[in-house]
Amino acid sequence: MVSFAGSAQQAKKPVSTFAKFKPPVVKSSLGKYNGSAATCSAEEGKQIILQPLKIADDKNATYKISSYQFAYKRVGVTEDETTGAVFPAKDMVSQRFTETPLPEIWKSNITEQLHKGEELYFFDIIVYDKQGRLFFAPELKITIQ
C-alpha cells in the first residue's frame, strides 16, 4: 500500500485595481415636481409632461441621462361583450427612452387623454456622472388628482 501526502498553496485574494464608486446623491424632477410620490392636477400634468426630465444634485449640478423608462398608467372603460355593461379599467403603456423630453407622439397622446386617477412614472433612470460612470437616479412617480 502506497500513500502520498500533498500540500497546496494558499489562494491569494485577487487585488482589485478599481476604486469603489460611490454615486452622488441626486434627485429626479419634472418641472417643479420631484420625489417618488408627487401629485398634481390634470392641467398641471399636461404642462409638465412637455418638459424634460432633469437629474440634479444638491448643488444644482445637472447630470446627462443615458436612458430611462416611462410608464403611463391610464384609466379608461371596458365593455362586457355579452351584457353590454361598461365598467372602468386600467392599463399601462411603457417604453425605454434615451432622450428627454418624451417624443411628440407620447406628449400629444398624454396631453389629449390625461385625467384624474392616472399616473406618470419615470423609472430605471440611468445617468452619467462627471467621469462618465453610469449610475441609477431615483424614480419619479406623479399621480394625477
Side-chain angles (χ1 to χ4, degrees):
M1 179 179 265
V2 178
S3 159
F4 292 99
S7 145
Q9 294 179 352
Q10 294 281 339
K12 292 184 180 179
K13 292 183 181 178
V15 178
S16 175
T17 58
F18 296 104
K20 268 210 155 158
F21 171 58
K22 184 176 180 194
V25 176
V26 294
K27 62 182 177 184
S28 305
S29 61
L30 190 66
K32 65 179 182 177
Y33 297 96
N34 59 38
S36 61
T39 59
C40 73
S41 70
E43 287 307 312
E44 287 176 305
K46 290 176 183 180
Q47 295 303 313
I48 63 168
I49 200 64
L50 303 175
Q51 298 179 10
L53 176 65
K54 291 186 181 178
I55 311 301
D57 59 19
D58 57 348
K59 296 175 184 160
N60 220 18
T62 58
Y63 292 81
K64 184 177 186 292
I65 296 174
S66 170
S67 68
Y68 62 94
Q69 290 196 61
F70 173 72
Y72 173 38
K73 192 175 197 179
R74 306 182 283 201
V75 177
V77 293
T78 301
E79 182 179 346
D80 186 341
E81 293 178 13
T82 57
T83 65
V86 177
F87 54 93
K90 289 186 177 185
D91 75 333
M92 185 179 343
V93 290
S94 177
Q95 189 171 342
R96 177 171 292 281
F97 298 99
T98 56
E99 293 183 3
T100 184
L102 293 170
E104 284 301 318
I105 188 75
W106 280 79
K107 291 190 289 190
S108 65
N109 284 339
I110 292 169
T111 54
E112 291 170 7
Q113 301 174 13
L114 192 66
H115 59 277
K116 184 178 177 179
E118 298 183 337
E119 291 179 358
L120 307 172
Y121 184 37
F122 294 86
F123 62 103
D124 287 346
I125 305 167
I126 303 171
V127 295
Y128 293 101
D129 73 351
K130 306 293 187 238
Q131 288 78 35
R133 298 174 293 202
L134 296 170
F135 67 97
F136 282 100
E139 63 187 32
L140 174 63
K141 183 185 284 189
I142 301 172
T143 304
I144 306 303
Q145 296 283 328

